[in-house]
């Protein structure tokens, strides 16, 4: 195995363990054992558990951020909302281990930590879009940060819940999120559907 292949193998093993047991429940010994290498090999590549955890978290954060930010450009605001909700729920569905790592040690409600930091980054992107939309429609664009946090938080908390619930199906969850965000409680549709599908 090349050095790069070994490094990737260790990351894959560590990612699985961090998802199953969290940072505190995972040891270098277990990572090495599952990868069928000695502990010094793990230390050589990452310097320790903190190092390998940091790489795993950085990769997951970048993957989710890329998915979310790519949905926030162009198109009607409702379409962007549908795409953003779908992107987060797709990430949860396709990369549940990664999402579990991000939320396990950094709940949405905390002020610091990996997942809350990521959500703040996404909210800042949403804030700029909302400010433009508010300004174009005659609303006070100074309220854009509040609405951005509310929208991102609503989708993120629902994603955390759906990680384990897995019902209803992804597109139905996304449709209900968009229904609430777009129509508000006073104008909820009885059977919402995504318009993009």
């Amino acid at each position: 195995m090349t050095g790069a292949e070994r490094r990737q193998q260790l990351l894959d093993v560590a990612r699985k363990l961090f998802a199953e047991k969290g940072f505190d429940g995972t040891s270098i010994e277990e990572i090495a054992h599952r990868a069928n290498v000695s502990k010094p090999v793990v230390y050589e590549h990452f310097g320790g558990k903190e190092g390998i955890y940091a790489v795993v978290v950085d990769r997951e954060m970048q993957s989710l951020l890329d998915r979310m930010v790519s949905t926030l450009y162009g198109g009607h605001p409702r379409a962007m909302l549908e795409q953003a909700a779908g992107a987060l729920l797709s990430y949860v569905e396709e990369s549940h281990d990664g999402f579990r790592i991000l939320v396990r040690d950094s709940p949405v409600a905390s002020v610091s930590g990996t997942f809350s930091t990521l959500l703040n980054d996404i909210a800042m992107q949403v804030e700029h879009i909302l400010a433009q939309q508010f300004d174009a429609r005659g609303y006070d664009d100074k309220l854009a940060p509040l609405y951005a946090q509310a929208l991102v938080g609503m989708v993120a908390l629902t994603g955390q819940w759906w990680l384990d619930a897995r019902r209803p199906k992804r597109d139905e969850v996304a449709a209900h999120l968009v229904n609430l965000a777009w129509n508000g409680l006073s104008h909820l549709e009885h059977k919402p559907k995504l318009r993009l599908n």
Side-chain angles (χ1 to χ4, degrees):
M1 205 177 267
T2 67
E5 291 170 335
R6 176 67 70 198
R7 182 177 171 83
Q8 187 58 52
Q9 177 207 24
L10 292 170
L11 286 168
D12 292 343
V13 167
R15 182 178 182 270
K16 191 76 174 156
L17 284 167
F18 289 137
E20 289 172 16
K21 300 181 174 195
F23 177 79
D24 290 335
T26 301
S27 68
I28 287 292
E29 292 83 3
E30 193 168 10
I31 294 169
H33 175 74
R34 286 218 189 158
N36 205 22
V37 298
S38 63
K39 287 188 331 188
V41 172
V42 181
Y43 286 115
E44 178 185 318
H45 283 276
F46 299 101
K49 184 167 78 166
E50 292 80 7
I52 197 167
Y53 183 75
V55 173
V56 168
V57 167
D58 285 347
R59 286 182 175 194
E60 293 303 325
M61 286 180 60
Q62 194 59 56
S63 175
L64 180 54
L65 185 61
D66 289 348
R67 281 183 190 227
M68 296 297 294
V69 171
S70 71
T71 68
L72 299 176
Y73 295 101
H76 189 272
R78 181 181 172 123
M80 287 190 286
L81 181 58
E82 286 185 7
Q83 292 164 353
L88 177 74
L89 294 171
S90 290
Y91 175 79
V92 171
E93 186 174 59
E94 296 163 11
S95 187
H96 51 88
D97 282 349
F99 190 71
R100 200 173 297 283
I101 290 166
L102 291 177
V103 300
R104 179 188 302 268
D105 298 317
S106 180
V108 172
S110 74
V111 271
S112 64
T114 56
F115 192 54
S116 58
T117 302
L118 176 67
L119 294 179
N120 282 326
D121 289 347
I122 294 168
M124 285 178 21
Q125 298 281 337
V126 171
E127 180 182 325
H128 294 297
I129 294 164
L130 286 178
Q132 292 170 353
Q133 294 295 324
F134 281 18
D135 192 48
R137 289 170 170 75
Y139 294 104
D140 184 357
D141 63 1
K142 291 182 184 115
L143 293 173
L146 180 150
Y147 281 90
Q149 291 290 329
L151 285 170
V152 170
M154 179 177 72
V155 174
L157 280 171
T158 303
Q160 274 188 279
W161 164 79
W162 191 67
L163 177 64
D164 293 319
R166 295 303 173 108
R167 285 192 200 133
K169 291 185 178 189
R170 181 187 69 212
D171 284 350
E172 190 176 347
V173 173
H176 283 281
L177 280 168
V178 172
N179 187 27
L180 176 60
W182 193 257
N183 296 318
L185 287 173
S186 64
H187 294 94
L188 283 177
E189 297 170 355
H190 291 280
K191 293 189 178 187
K193 298 216 182 301
L194 297 178
R195 294 180 184 177
L196 296 177
N197 293 342

